[in-house]
Amino acid sequence: MVDGGRYRWLRRIEALDPVRDHHEIYRISVGYEFPFDYQRALELALLRTYCVPSISALLDATGEFRLRTQQRYDDTALLMAEMAEHGYDSPRGRQALRVVNRAHRRYAISNDDMRYVLSTFVYEPVDWLERFGWRRLHEHERLAAFHYYRAVGARMDVRDVPDDYDAFRDFKREYEHASFRFAPTNQRIGAYTLDLFASWYPRPVRRAARLGVLALLPAEVRAAFGFPAAPRWLSAVVEGGLRTRAAVVRLMPPRTTSRLTHAPHNRTYPGYPRGYQPADLGSPPPPPDLDPTWLARPAPPPTPRPGPD
């Protein structure tokens, strides 16, 4: 047990069960203890999924990342935050899940790609916080994240998610080893995303912001995008800056207000969540000129059961 007011949320997490109380632990970890870190880690998690050509090709075909990159980012961030803040079985959580499922079920997405995306939401924040967190994650937090996203995946009809934390991580590593390779669609979607991240900063520092993101990307990710490496000195500066930030945060008092769904300054939905419901978010229907091979096939009608003779 760690003493001191700074660790009051950690004491709460230690008292909870990571299986039974996985949502409560995850909500505290994301909303109170590490809001900045989870946001950055999940941004990089999504970027990492674009290294799989089957994922980037679909995103490229819909044109959504070219036309509405900021909205796609805001939709994803806010829908996931609604589930984390209120619970996936709460009224707002169920609304958010319906929006997510409606978008995914329009398209021909493999179950393996869905499983892989789900795995990045578990393990990329864990890896980020091992490097840059103001404290180490408690084992309850790691397991709670796994059980939380396993429950979310079940509600998204994602099949064959392992029931063991280490087995799911092994799946993630093996899928990346088998699937990461360069493709022009990876590069386009990656470039749109880098442009988005840079657009959040004043124009004179946007090039530096892009290089800062590149400094955080491992070699296999850069290779799949065809991106150059950042200068070695810049990587050292970025990593040093993040570790300095962690040391400063460690001295601050515990957060008393969750940062999850309070996003009044987001660019697509000003004032969110005031005046908005999760059902107001989400992508439009597929464009009418989209190649039908990208669309999900409608489920066949049920076979009539023979009646009694």
Short mmCIF file of all heavy atoms in Angstrom, two decimals, residues 19-20 22-23 80 83-84 86-105 111 114 118 146-161:
data_model
loop_
_atom_site.label_atom_id
_atom_site.label_comp_id
_atom_site.label_asym_id
_atom_site.label_seq_id
_atom_site.Cartn_x
_atom_site.Cartn_y
_atom_site.Cartn_z
N VAL A 19 -11.55 -8.25 -12.22
CA VAL A 19 -12.53 -8.92 -13.08
C VAL A 19 -13.91 -8.34 -12.83
O VAL A 19 -14.56 -7.80 -13.72
CB VAL A 19 -12.52 -10.45 -12.84
CG1 VAL A 19 -13.57 -11.12 -13.73
CG2 VAL A 19 -11.14 -11.02 -13.10
N ARG A 20 -14.35 -8.41 -11.60
CA ARG A 20 -15.70 -7.94 -11.27
C ARG A 20 -15.84 -6.43 -11.46
O ARG A 20 -16.87 -5.94 -11.95
CB ARG A 20 -16.03 -8.30 -9.81
CG ARG A 20 -17.44 -7.91 -9.36
CD ARG A 20 -17.61 -8.09 -7.86
NE ARG A 20 -16.72 -7.20 -7.11
CZ ARG A 20 -15.82 -7.61 -6.22
NH1 ARG A 20 -15.67 -8.89 -5.97
NH2 ARG A 20 -15.07 -6.73 -5.58
N HIS A 22 -13.95 -4.31 -13.34
CA HIS A 22 -13.04 -3.83 -14.38
C HIS A 22 -13.45 -2.46 -14.92
O HIS A 22 -12.59 -1.63 -15.21
CB HIS A 22 -12.92 -4.84 -15.53
CG HIS A 22 -14.20 -5.17 -16.22
ND1 HIS A 22 -14.91 -6.32 -15.97
CD2 HIS A 22 -14.90 -4.51 -17.17
CE1 HIS A 22 -15.97 -6.36 -16.74
NE2 HIS A 22 -16.00 -5.26 -17.46
N HIS A 23 -14.74 -2.19 -15.05
CA HIS A 23 -15.13 -0.88 -15.57
C HIS A 23 -14.75 0.23 -14.61
O HIS A 23 -14.23 1.28 -15.01
CB HIS A 23 -16.62 -0.80 -15.88
CG HIS A 23 -17.06 0.61 -16.15
ND1 HIS A 23 -17.89 1.31 -15.30
CD2 HIS A 23 -16.72 1.48 -17.14
CE1 HIS A 23 -18.06 2.54 -15.77
NE2 HIS A 23 -17.36 2.66 -16.88
N MET A 80 -15.63 6.19 -27.49
CA MET A 80 -14.93 5.34 -26.54
C MET A 80 -14.98 5.94 -25.14
O MET A 80 -15.10 5.23 -24.13
CB MET A 80 -13.48 5.13 -26.98
CG MET A 80 -13.33 4.47 -28.35
SD MET A 80 -14.27 2.94 -28.53
CE MET A 80 -13.39 1.87 -27.41
N MET A 83 -18.36 5.23 -23.34
CA MET A 83 -18.43 3.89 -22.76
C MET A 83 -17.58 3.79 -21.50
O MET A 83 -17.97 3.18 -20.50
CB MET A 83 -17.98 2.84 -23.79
CG MET A 83 -19.01 2.59 -24.88
SD MET A 83 -18.51 1.23 -25.97
CE MET A 83 -17.59 2.14 -27.21
N ALA A 84 -16.38 4.41 -21.54
CA ALA A 84 -15.50 4.33 -20.38
C ALA A 84 -16.06 5.12 -19.20
O ALA A 84 -15.93 4.70 -18.05
CB ALA A 84 -14.11 4.83 -20.75
N HIS A 86 -19.38 6.10 -18.58
CA HIS A 86 -20.70 5.71 -18.09
C HIS A 86 -20.90 4.20 -18.02
O HIS A 86 -21.86 3.75 -17.36
CB HIS A 86 -21.79 6.33 -18.98
CG HIS A 86 -21.71 7.82 -19.05
ND1 HIS A 86 -21.98 8.64 -17.98
CD2 HIS A 86 -21.34 8.66 -20.06
CE1 HIS A 86 -21.82 9.91 -18.32
NE2 HIS A 86 -21.42 9.95 -19.58
N GLY A 87 -20.05 3.42 -18.68
CA GLY A 87 -20.21 1.98 -18.73
C GLY A 87 -20.84 1.54 -20.03
O GLY A 87 -21.74 2.20 -20.56
N TYR A 88 -20.38 0.43 -20.56
CA TYR A 88 -20.87 -0.04 -21.86
C TYR A 88 -22.33 -0.49 -21.80
O TYR A 88 -22.98 -0.60 -22.84
CB TYR A 88 -19.98 -1.15 -22.42
CG TYR A 88 -19.55 -2.17 -21.39
CD1 TYR A 88 -20.42 -3.10 -20.87
CD2 TYR A 88 -18.22 -2.19 -20.93
CE1 TYR A 88 -20.02 -4.04 -19.93
CE2 TYR A 88 -17.81 -3.11 -19.98
CZ TYR A 88 -18.71 -4.02 -19.48
OH TYR A 88 -18.32 -4.93 -18.54
N ASP A 89 -22.86 -0.76 -20.63
CA ASP A 89 -24.27 -1.17 -20.50
C ASP A 89 -25.16 -0.05 -19.97
O ASP A 89 -26.34 -0.27 -19.70
CB ASP A 89 -24.40 -2.41 -19.61
CG ASP A 89 -23.93 -3.68 -20.31
OD1 ASP A 89 -23.97 -3.71 -21.56
OD2 ASP A 89 -23.53 -4.63 -19.62
N SER A 90 -24.61 1.15 -19.80
CA SER A 90 -25.42 2.30 -19.40
C SER A 90 -26.19 2.81 -20.62
O SER A 90 -25.87 2.46 -21.77
CB SER A 90 -24.51 3.41 -18.88
OG SER A 90 -23.75 3.96 -19.95
N PRO A 91 -27.21 3.66 -20.43
CA PRO A 91 -27.93 4.21 -21.59
C PRO A 91 -27.01 4.91 -22.59
O PRO A 91 -27.10 4.69 -23.79
CB PRO A 91 -28.94 5.16 -20.96
CG PRO A 91 -29.22 4.56 -19.61
CD PRO A 91 -27.89 4.01 -19.16
N ARG A 92 -26.10 5.77 -22.11
CA ARG A 92 -25.19 6.45 -23.04
C ARG A 92 -24.18 5.49 -23.62
O ARG A 92 -23.79 5.61 -24.79
CB ARG A 92 -24.49 7.63 -22.35
CG ARG A 92 -25.43 8.80 -22.04
CD ARG A 92 -24.68 9.98 -21.44
NE ARG A 92 -23.89 10.69 -22.43
CZ ARG A 92 -24.28 11.78 -23.09
NH1 ARG A 92 -25.49 12.29 -22.87
NH2 ARG A 92 -23.49 12.36 -23.97
N GLY A 93 -23.73 4.52 -22.82
CA GLY A 93 -22.80 3.52 -23.33
C GLY A 93 -23.42 2.67 -24.42
O GLY A 93 -22.78 2.37 -25.43
N ARG A 94 -24.68 2.28 -24.23
CA ARG A 94 -25.35 1.48 -25.27
C ARG A 94 -25.56 2.30 -26.54
O ARG A 94 -25.43 1.77 -27.65
CB ARG A 94 -26.68 0.96 -24.74
CG ARG A 94 -26.54 -0.16 -23.72
CD ARG A 94 -27.83 -0.91 -23.53
NE ARG A 94 -28.89 -0.05 -23.01
CZ ARG A 94 -29.16 0.13 -21.71
NH1 ARG A 94 -28.42 -0.50 -20.80
NH2 ARG A 94 -30.14 0.91 -21.33
N GLN A 95 -25.88 3.59 -26.37
CA GLN A 95 -25.97 4.45 -27.56
C GLN A 95 -24.65 4.48 -28.32
O GLN A 95 -24.62 4.37 -29.54
CB GLN A 95 -26.33 5.88 -27.14
CG GLN A 95 -27.80 6.20 -27.01
CD GLN A 95 -28.01 7.71 -26.92
OE1 GLN A 95 -27.51 8.47 -27.75
NE2 GLN A 95 -28.73 8.12 -25.89
N ALA A 96 -23.57 4.67 -27.57
CA ALA A 96 -22.25 4.72 -28.22
C ALA A 96 -21.94 3.42 -28.94
O ALA A 96 -21.44 3.42 -30.07
CB ALA A 96 -21.18 5.04 -27.17
N LEU A 97 -22.23 2.30 -28.31
CA LEU A 97 -21.99 1.00 -28.94
C LEU A 97 -22.82 0.84 -30.21
O LEU A 97 -22.34 0.29 -31.21
CB LEU A 97 -22.30 -0.13 -27.97
CG LEU A 97 -21.15 -0.61 -27.09
CD1 LEU A 97 -21.65 -1.53 -26.00
CD2 LEU A 97 -20.10 -1.33 -27.94
N ARG A 98 -24.06 1.29 -30.18
CA ARG A 98 -24.89 1.18 -31.39
C ARG A 98 -24.28 1.97 -32.54
O ARG A 98 -24.30 1.52 -33.69
CB ARG A 98 -26.32 1.66 -31.10
CG ARG A 98 -27.18 0.64 -30.36
CD ARG A 98 -28.64 1.00 -30.42
NE ARG A 98 -28.95 2.21 -29.69
CZ ARG A 98 -29.28 2.26 -28.39
NH1 ARG A 98 -29.33 1.14 -27.69
NH2 ARG A 98 -29.55 3.41 -27.81
N VAL A 99 -23.75 3.16 -32.24
CA VAL A 99 -23.13 3.98 -33.29
C VAL A 99 -21.90 3.27 -33.85
O VAL A 99 -21.71 3.19 -35.07
CB VAL A 99 -22.76 5.37 -32.74
CG1 VAL A 99 -21.97 6.16 -33.78
CG2 VAL A 99 -24.01 6.14 -32.34
N VAL A 100 -21.07 2.75 -32.96
CA VAL A 100 -19.86 2.05 -33.40
C VAL A 100 -20.22 0.82 -34.22
O VAL A 100 -19.66 0.58 -35.31
CB VAL A 100 -19.00 1.65 -32.18
CG1 VAL A 100 -17.85 0.74 -32.60
CG2 VAL A 100 -18.46 2.89 -31.46
N ASN A 101 -21.17 0.04 -33.74
CA ASN A 101 -21.54 -1.19 -34.45
C ASN A 101 -22.20 -0.89 -35.79
O ASN A 101 -21.96 -1.60 -36.78
CB ASN A 101 -22.48 -2.03 -33.58
CG ASN A 101 -21.74 -2.74 -32.46
OD1 ASN A 101 -20.55 -3.00 -32.55
ND2 ASN A 101 -22.45 -3.05 -31.38
N ARG A 102 -23.01 0.15 -35.84
CA ARG A 102 -23.65 0.51 -37.12
C ARG A 102 -22.59 0.84 -38.17
O ARG A 102 -22.69 0.43 -39.33
CB ARG A 102 -24.58 1.71 -36.91
CG ARG A 102 -25.33 2.13 -38.20
CD ARG A 102 -26.26 3.28 -37.93
NE ARG A 102 -25.53 4.49 -37.58
CZ ARG A 102 -25.79 5.24 -36.51
NH1 ARG A 102 -26.74 4.88 -35.65
NH2 ARG A 102 -25.09 6.33 -36.27
N ALA A 103 -21.55 1.58 -37.75
CA ALA A 103 -20.49 1.95 -38.70
C ALA A 103 -19.73 0.72 -39.17
O ALA A 103 -19.48 0.53 -40.37
CB ALA A 103 -19.54 2.95 -38.05
N HIS A 104 -19.37 -0.16 -38.25
CA HIS A 104 -18.56 -1.33 -38.61
C HIS A 104 -19.36 -2.34 -39.44
O HIS A 104 -18.80 -2.98 -40.35
CB HIS A 104 -18.02 -2.01 -37.35
CG HIS A 104 -16.95 -1.21 -36.68
ND1 HIS A 104 -16.60 -1.39 -35.35
CD2 HIS A 104 -16.15 -0.22 -37.14
CE1 HIS A 104 -15.63 -0.55 -35.04
NE2 HIS A 104 -15.34 0.17 -36.11
N ARG A 105 -20.63 -2.51 -39.15
CA ARG A 105 -21.41 -3.53 -39.83
C ARG A 105 -21.77 -3.18 -41.26
O ARG A 105 -22.27 -4.01 -42.00
CB ARG A 105 -22.67 -3.83 -39.01
CG ARG A 105 -22.34 -4.61 -37.73
CD ARG A 105 -23.51 -4.69 -36.79
NE ARG A 105 -23.14 -5.40 -35.56
CZ ARG A 105 -23.86 -5.41 -34.45
NH1 ARG A 105 -25.01 -4.72 -34.40
NH2 ARG A 105 -23.45 -6.07 -33.39
N ASN A 111 -12.89 -10.48 -38.91
CA ASN A 111 -12.87 -10.60 -37.45
C ASN A 111 -11.46 -10.45 -36.90
O ASN A 111 -11.27 -9.88 -35.82
CB ASN A 111 -13.45 -11.95 -37.04
CG ASN A 111 -13.60 -12.07 -35.53
OD1 ASN A 111 -14.41 -11.39 -34.92
ND2 ASN A 111 -12.81 -12.95 -34.92
N MET A 114 -10.70 -6.81 -36.55
CA MET A 114 -11.42 -6.28 -35.39
C MET A 114 -10.72 -6.68 -34.10
O MET A 114 -10.57 -5.87 -33.18
CB MET A 114 -12.86 -6.77 -35.40
CG MET A 114 -13.70 -6.25 -36.56
SD MET A 114 -14.22 -4.54 -36.32
CE MET A 114 -15.53 -4.77 -35.13
N LEU A 118 -8.94 -4.10 -31.32
CA LEU A 118 -9.30 -4.20 -29.91
C LEU A 118 -8.06 -4.42 -29.05
O LEU A 118 -7.91 -3.82 -27.97
CB LEU A 118 -10.28 -5.36 -29.73
CG LEU A 118 -11.07 -5.42 -28.42
CD1 LEU A 118 -12.09 -4.29 -28.34
CD2 LEU A 118 -11.77 -6.77 -28.29
N PHE A 146 -7.88 -5.20 -19.86
CA PHE A 146 -8.12 -6.40 -20.66
C PHE A 146 -9.57 -6.86 -20.53
O PHE A 146 -10.25 -7.09 -21.54
CB PHE A 146 -7.17 -7.51 -20.21
CG PHE A 146 -7.56 -8.88 -20.69
CD1 PHE A 146 -7.44 -9.22 -22.03
CD2 PHE A 146 -8.04 -9.83 -19.80
CE1 PHE A 146 -7.79 -10.48 -22.48
CE2 PHE A 146 -8.40 -11.10 -20.24
CZ PHE A 146 -8.28 -11.42 -21.58
N HIS A 147 -10.08 -6.97 -19.32
CA HIS A 147 -11.45 -7.46 -19.13
C HIS A 147 -12.48 -6.44 -19.64
O HIS A 147 -13.53 -6.83 -20.15
CB HIS A 147 -11.69 -7.79 -17.66
CG HIS A 147 -10.96 -9.01 -17.20
ND1 HIS A 147 -11.28 -10.28 -17.64
CD2 HIS A 147 -9.89 -9.16 -16.37
CE1 HIS A 147 -10.47 -11.17 -17.08
NE2 HIS A 147 -9.61 -10.51 -16.32
N TYR A 148 -12.16 -5.16 -19.51
CA TYR A 148 -13.06 -4.13 -20.03
C TYR A 148 -13.20 -4.25 -21.54
O TYR A 148 -14.32 -4.31 -22.07
CB TYR A 148 -12.53 -2.74 -19.65
CG TYR A 148 -13.29 -1.61 -20.29
CD1 TYR A 148 -14.49 -1.15 -19.76
CD2 TYR A 148 -12.81 -1.00 -21.45
CE1 TYR A 148 -15.19 -0.13 -20.37
CE2 TYR A 148 -13.51 0.02 -22.05
CZ TYR A 148 -14.69 0.46 -21.51
OH TYR A 148 -15.40 1.47 -22.12
N TYR A 149 -12.08 -4.31 -22.26
CA TYR A 149 -12.18 -4.36 -23.72
C TYR A 149 -12.66 -5.72 -24.21
O TYR A 149 -13.27 -5.80 -25.29
CB TYR A 149 -10.85 -3.96 -24.36
CG TYR A 149 -10.73 -2.46 -24.44
CD1 TYR A 149 -9.83 -1.78 -23.64
CD2 TYR A 149 -11.55 -1.72 -25.29
CE1 TYR A 149 -9.74 -0.40 -23.68
CE2 TYR A 149 -11.47 -0.35 -25.34
CZ TYR A 149 -10.57 0.32 -24.53
OH TYR A 149 -10.50 1.68 -24.58
N ARG A 150 -12.43 -6.74 -23.45
CA ARG A 150 -13.01 -8.04 -23.81
C ARG A 150 -14.54 -7.97 -23.75
O ARG A 150 -15.22 -8.50 -24.63
CB ARG A 150 -12.47 -9.13 -22.88
CG ARG A 150 -12.72 -10.54 -23.39
CD ARG A 150 -11.83 -11.55 -22.66
NE ARG A 150 -12.03 -12.87 -23.24
CZ ARG A 150 -12.93 -13.74 -22.80
NH1 ARG A 150 -13.69 -13.45 -21.75
NH2 ARG A 150 -13.09 -14.92 -23.38
N ALA A 151 -15.08 -7.29 -22.75
CA ALA A 151 -16.52 -7.11 -22.64
C ALA A 151 -17.05 -6.22 -23.76
O ALA A 151 -18.11 -6.49 -24.35
CB ALA A 151 -16.87 -6.52 -21.28
N VAL A 152 -16.32 -5.15 -24.08
CA VAL A 152 -16.72 -4.29 -25.19
C VAL A 152 -16.70 -5.08 -26.49
O VAL A 152 -17.63 -5.00 -27.31
CB VAL A 152 -15.80 -3.05 -25.28
CG1 VAL A 152 -16.04 -2.29 -26.58
CG2 VAL A 152 -16.03 -2.13 -24.07
N GLY A 153 -15.64 -5.87 -26.71
CA GLY A 153 -15.54 -6.67 -27.92
C GLY A 153 -16.70 -7.64 -28.06
O GLY A 153 -17.22 -7.84 -29.16
N ALA A 154 -17.12 -8.25 -26.95
CA ALA A 154 -18.26 -9.17 -27.02
C ALA A 154 -19.50 -8.44 -27.49
O ALA A 154 -20.33 -9.01 -28.24
CB ALA A 154 -18.49 -9.80 -25.65
N ARG A 155 -19.66 -7.19 -27.10
CA ARG A 155 -20.84 -6.41 -27.49
C ARG A 155 -20.71 -5.86 -28.91
O ARG A 155 -21.66 -5.29 -29.44
CB ARG A 155 -21.06 -5.28 -26.48
CG ARG A 155 -21.61 -5.82 -25.15
CD ARG A 155 -21.32 -4.89 -23.99
NE ARG A 155 -21.91 -5.42 -22.76
CZ ARG A 155 -21.38 -6.41 -22.04
NH1 ARG A 155 -20.24 -6.97 -22.41
NH2 ARG A 155 -21.99 -6.82 -20.94
N MET A 156 -19.54 -6.01 -29.50
CA MET A 156 -19.32 -5.66 -30.90
C MET A 156 -19.25 -6.90 -31.79
O MET A 156 -18.87 -6.80 -32.95
CB MET A 156 -18.02 -4.85 -31.02
CG MET A 156 -18.06 -3.50 -30.33
SD MET A 156 -16.44 -2.67 -30.33
CE MET A 156 -16.16 -2.47 -32.08
N ASP A 157 -19.57 -8.04 -31.21
CA ASP A 157 -19.54 -9.31 -31.94
C ASP A 157 -18.14 -9.65 -32.45
O ASP A 157 -18.00 -10.29 -33.50
CB ASP A 157 -20.54 -9.29 -33.12
CG ASP A 157 -21.97 -9.16 -32.66
OD1 ASP A 157 -22.30 -9.68 -31.57
OD2 ASP A 157 -22.77 -8.52 -33.37
N VAL A 158 -17.12 -9.24 -31.71
CA VAL A 158 -15.76 -9.64 -32.03
C VAL A 158 -15.55 -11.04 -31.43
O VAL A 158 -15.66 -11.21 -30.22
CB VAL A 158 -14.72 -8.66 -31.48
CG1 VAL A 158 -13.30 -9.10 -31.86
CG2 VAL A 158 -15.00 -7.25 -31.99
N ARG A 159 -15.25 -12.00 -32.28
CA ARG A 159 -15.18 -13.39 -31.85
C ARG A 159 -13.74 -13.80 -31.51
O ARG A 159 -12.79 -13.21 -32.00
CB ARG A 159 -15.73 -14.32 -32.94
CG ARG A 159 -17.16 -13.99 -33.36
CD ARG A 159 -17.66 -14.93 -34.45
NE ARG A 159 -16.79 -14.95 -35.63
CZ ARG A 159 -16.81 -14.03 -36.58
NH1 ARG A 159 -17.65 -13.01 -36.51
NH2 ARG A 159 -16.00 -14.13 -37.63
N ASP A 160 -13.65 -14.84 -30.70
CA ASP A 160 -12.37 -15.52 -30.42
C ASP A 160 -11.33 -14.62 -29.75
O ASP A 160 -10.12 -14.78 -29.96
CB ASP A 160 -11.77 -16.09 -31.72
CG ASP A 160 -12.72 -17.05 -32.42
OD1 ASP A 160 -13.41 -17.81 -31.72
OD2 ASP A 160 -12.79 -17.02 -33.66
N VAL A 161 -11.80 -13.71 -28.91
CA VAL A 161 -10.86 -12.94 -28.10
C VAL A 161 -10.38 -13.85 -26.97
O VAL A 161 -11.19 -14.41 -26.24
CB VAL A 161 -11.52 -11.68 -27.51
CG1 VAL A 161 -10.54 -10.94 -26.59
CG2 VAL A 161 -11.99 -10.76 -28.63
#
